[in-house]
């Protein structure tokens, strides 16, 4: 069952919500939520009473659907939405920060971020997991966090110097952050670390093309020992703790641990448009010298990402049309199945009615024979027998064929 916003708009202003809701098999409160999702205005409380006396307010117009708004409500699958404007790379060279605006010392996105990371939880792999979700996308250990925030500040300001806005992904755009793997060697066969993601990805807009920005600390495989309830690098274990009995000396193994080296991942936040570029440090602090080339490569990548999004939208539209065709086919098959079942049920019910009528006819013949017998019974007993006969006839309904036939339902009535 699918209903478009225009159809629903017409229905809720033609009759009360309770009647419209009953037609769709939902409650009036659920229908009100559907109207809200589709942007359909509803009659105010008391509207129908006011309409009856000619004092109802005028009906508001149905507002135009905005990009991304739902266009219909459906029980069968995801609803159609108003197409969004495709991202577009800037046609001309990026504009630099205007001369009248001073370059801030700290990017607005990073104001107060340090305090959130200082109060953050620590994962089993020593990475910080802030409690606050709307925070910059940085995933490091406590030791590497100051350098990561400083790198983020330099990168964000360098991008904005070129006229590219860095911000958290807007709520009305369905931008996503791909899964992050902090392992430098990419050992996909091993269990991924206890990761974290922000509530909304950090993105830079090059033109209207969004590019996700993630700064994280790489891991390296090192020998660790279990000390006081956590894994510690063997080279960081105090000398006194290293002197273990021979049987305990081999209780070490290799594990991925934070390395102190940072990496920058830039990725496409659009569903179906996969693109990713990584920059990493061989030694701590190297990334800062690469920021100019990072900005240049992101400007060059914006048209590529825009083309990928356009292609993803084209494929998604093809899949949507296939789904519509498939859904219509399923609906036709279901209607045919129900029609065949209704015919079968109708035929079986009619045969059952005929059998019951035939039985009632035989029983009535029996009752008539009883009636004839009662005529020869004494008057003091006849009244009691006639009463029993009436009660018996009530139990079987009598042989009235028309009454039996009226109870039968045609296939289209089912």
């Amino acid at each position: 069952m699918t209903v478009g916003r225009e159809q629903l708009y017409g229905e809720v202003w033609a009759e009360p919500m309770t009647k419209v809701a009953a037609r769709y098999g939902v409650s009036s409160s659920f229908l009100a939520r559907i109207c809200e999702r589709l942007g359909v205005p509803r009659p105010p409380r008391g509207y129908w009473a006011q309409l009856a006396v000619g004092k109802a307010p005028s009906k508001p117009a149905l507002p135009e659907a905005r990009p991304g708004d739902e266009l219909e409500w459906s029980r069968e699958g995801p609803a159609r939405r108003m197409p969004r404007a495709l991202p577009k790379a800037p046609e001309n060279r990026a504009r630099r920060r205007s001369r009248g605006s001073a370059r801030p010392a700290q990017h607005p996105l990073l104001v107060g971020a340090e305090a959130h990371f200082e109060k953050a939880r620590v994962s089993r792999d020593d990475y910080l997991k802030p409690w606050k979700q709307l925070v910059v996308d940085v995933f490091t250990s406590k030791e590497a966090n100051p350098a990561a925030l400083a790198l983020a500040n330099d990168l964000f300001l360098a991008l904005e110097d070129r006229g590219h806005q860095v911000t958290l992904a807007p709520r009305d755009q369905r931008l996503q952050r791909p899964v992050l793997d902090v392992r430098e060697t990419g050992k996909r066969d091993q269990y991924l670390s206890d990761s974290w993601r922000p509530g909304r990805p950090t993105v830079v807009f090059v033109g209207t093309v969004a590019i996700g920005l993630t700064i994280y600390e790489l891991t390296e495989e090192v020998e660790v020992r279990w000390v006081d309830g956590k894994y510690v690098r063997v080279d960081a274990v105090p000398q006194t703790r290293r002197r273990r009995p021979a049987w305990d000396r081999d209780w070490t193994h290799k594990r991925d641990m934070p390395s102190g080296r940072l990496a920058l991942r830039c990725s496409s936040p659009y569903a179906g448009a996969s693109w990713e570029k990584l920059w990493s440090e061989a030694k701590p602090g190297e990334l800062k010298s690469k920021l100019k080339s990072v900005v240049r490569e992101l400007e060059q990548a914006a048209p590529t990402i825009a083309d990928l999004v356009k292609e993803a939208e084209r494929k998604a539209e093809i899949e949507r049309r296939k789904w519509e065709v498939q859904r219509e086919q399923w609906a036709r098959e279901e209607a045919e199945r129900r029609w065949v079942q209704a015919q079968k049920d109708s035929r079986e019910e009619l045969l059952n009615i005929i059998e019951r009528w035939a039985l009632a006819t035989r029983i009535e013949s029996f009752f008539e024979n009883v009636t004839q017998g009662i005529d020869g019974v004494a008057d003091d007993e006849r009244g009691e027998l006639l009463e029993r006969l009436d009660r018996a006839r009530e139990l079987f309904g009598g042989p009235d064929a028309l009454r039996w036939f009226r109870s039968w339902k045609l296939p289209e009535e089912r």
Side-chain angles (χ1 to χ4, degrees):
M1 179 186 296
T2 302
V3 56
R5 63 195 303 268
E6 292 84 2
Q7 178 185 344
L8 187 59
Y9 169 72
E11 291 180 350
V12 298
W13 286 93
E15 54 186 344
M17 292 279 289
T18 51
K19 290 186 178 181
V20 180
R23 188 159 56 248
Y24 291 110
V26 298
S27 66
S28 57
S29 59
F30 183 81
L31 183 64
R33 291 196 294 274
I34 294 174
C35 290
E36 186 175 350
R37 278 170 46 186
L38 299 182
V40 173
R42 295 177 285 125
R45 186 182 298 274
Y47 172 81
W48 299 104
Q50 294 173 349
L51 183 64
V53 296
K55 296 183 178 180
S58 59
K59 181 172 70 172
L62 177 66
E64 293 290 332
R66 298 169 301 177
D69 284 354
E70 294 184 48
L71 299 178
E72 63 185 16
W73 171 73
S74 173
R75 286 185 182 274
E76 286 76 18
R80 289 189 304 112
R81 291 179 178 270
M82 189 71 172
R84 295 179 183 275
L86 293 175
K88 187 177 180 181
E91 296 180 359
N92 304 319
R93 187 175 178 181
R95 295 179 301 170
R96 295 180 179 275
R97 188 190 299 273
S98 60
R99 294 182 179 181
S101 58
R103 191 179 198 259
Q106 187 177 37
H107 189 274
L109 200 59
L110 295 168
V111 174
E114 186 177 357
H116 293 299
F117 283 100
E118 286 179 354
K119 297 183 290 185
R121 298 159 289 171
V122 179
S123 73
R124 56 177 173 268
D125 296 321
D126 286 341
Y127 280 81
L128 298 177
K129 300 170 62 176
W131 294 98
K132 184 178 177 63
Q133 291 297 302
L134 296 182
V135 69
V136 64
D137 191 359
V138 171
F139 188 59
T140 67
S141 66
K142 185 175 182 180
E143 291 74 19
N145 188 253
L149 293 179
L151 177 65
N153 190 58
D154 291 339
L155 173 63
F156 296 172
L157 292 177
L159 287 166
E160 298 222 345
D161 284 344
R162 297 282 295 172
H164 310 309
Q165 182 190 16
V166 180
T167 182
L168 298 183
R171 292 184 183 274
D172 61 343
Q173 297 188 27
R174 292 174 291 172
L175 303 179
Q176 58 191 15
R177 173 192 188 256
V179 175
L180 178 66
D181 192 338
V182 298
R183 296 167 294 189
E184 186 173 31
T185 53
K187 300 174 183 176
R188 305 295 174 180
D189 57 331
Q190 294 186 6
Y191 179 70
L192 192 63
S193 64
D194 182 14
S195 192
W196 167 86
R197 67 170 61 211
R200 283 188 273 158
T202 300
V203 296
V204 56
F205 282 97
V206 181
T208 60
V209 178
I211 303 176
L213 304 174
T214 303
I215 294 176
Y216 63 97
E217 183 177 1
L218 294 165
T219 64
E220 58 186 358
E221 192 177 58
V222 295
E223 193 174 17
V224 296
R225 180 185 289 276
W226 185 257
V227 177
D228 296 333
K230 66 176 183 178
Y231 288 106
V232 179
R233 293 170 179 259
V234 169
D235 56 12
V237 177
Q239 291 292 331
T240 55
R241 300 295 295 271
R242 296 186 197 177
R243 301 189 185 118
R244 300 268 183 169
W247 59 266
D248 189 38
R249 203 164 292 155
D250 293 331
W251 191 61
T252 61
H253 70 282
K254 290 189 175 181
R255 184 178 177 87
D256 287 311
M257 298 291 286
S259 66
R261 293 177 291 112
L262 299 177
L264 166 65
R265 181 187 70 175
C266 298
S267 58
S268 165
Y270 302 98
S274 179
W275 179 89
E276 185 174 279
K277 177 75 176 180
L278 298 175
W279 291 267
S280 59
E281 296 179 337
K283 296 180 181 179
E286 284 185 347
L287 264 180
K288 186 174 181 179
S289 62
K290 302 178 182 179
L291 294 185
K292 287 186 178 180
S293 64
V294 169
V295 174
R296 252 190 332 267
E297 289 196 48
L298 293 185
E299 291 174 346
Q300 295 169 1
T304 301
I305 297 174
D307 290 340
L308 289 173
V309 175
K310 185 177 180 179
E311 178 64 15
E313 289 288 333
R314 187 186 69 82
K315 291 180 178 178
E317 180 62 19
I318 292 174
E319 290 300 317
R320 189 191 68 79
R321 290 178 181 175
K322 286 181 179 178
W323 164 248
E324 289 290 339
V325 172
Q326 183 66 64
R327 186 170 66 177
E328 290 174 3
Q329 180 180 344
W330 287 339
R332 287 193 299 269
E333 292 174 353
E334 176 64 14
E336 183 178 352
R337 185 196 66 78
R338 294 176 65 179
W339 172 248
V340 171
Q341 184 66 38
Q343 288 182 310
K344 179 183 176 182
D345 292 344
S346 182
R347 185 169 54 251
E348 290 179 353
E349 184 187 18
L350 184 57
L351 290 174
N352 186 38
I353 287 174
I354 293 172
E355 289 176 2
R356 289 162 58 195
W357 173 80
L359 175 61
T361 302
R362 292 198 300 272
I363 294 172
E364 183 61 25
S365 178
F366 166 77
F367 289 154
E368 288 177 359
N369 191 276
V370 172
T371 303
Q372 294 174 6
I374 293 176
D375 290 342
V377 176
D379 293 341
D380 56 346
E381 188 181 357
R382 185 182 303 165
E384 181 182 349
L385 289 175
L386 288 173
E387 183 180 352
R388 289 169 66 86
L389 181 60
D390 291 340
R391 294 288 300 277
R393 278 192 167 117
E394 290 176 1
L395 293 176
F396 291 95
D400 185 354
L402 181 59
R403 184 175 62 82
W404 289 89
F405 187 69
R406 280 174 174 163
S407 67
W408 173 60
K409 289 184 179 180
L410 293 167
E412 54 268 24
E413 292 175 337
R414 296 180 179 277

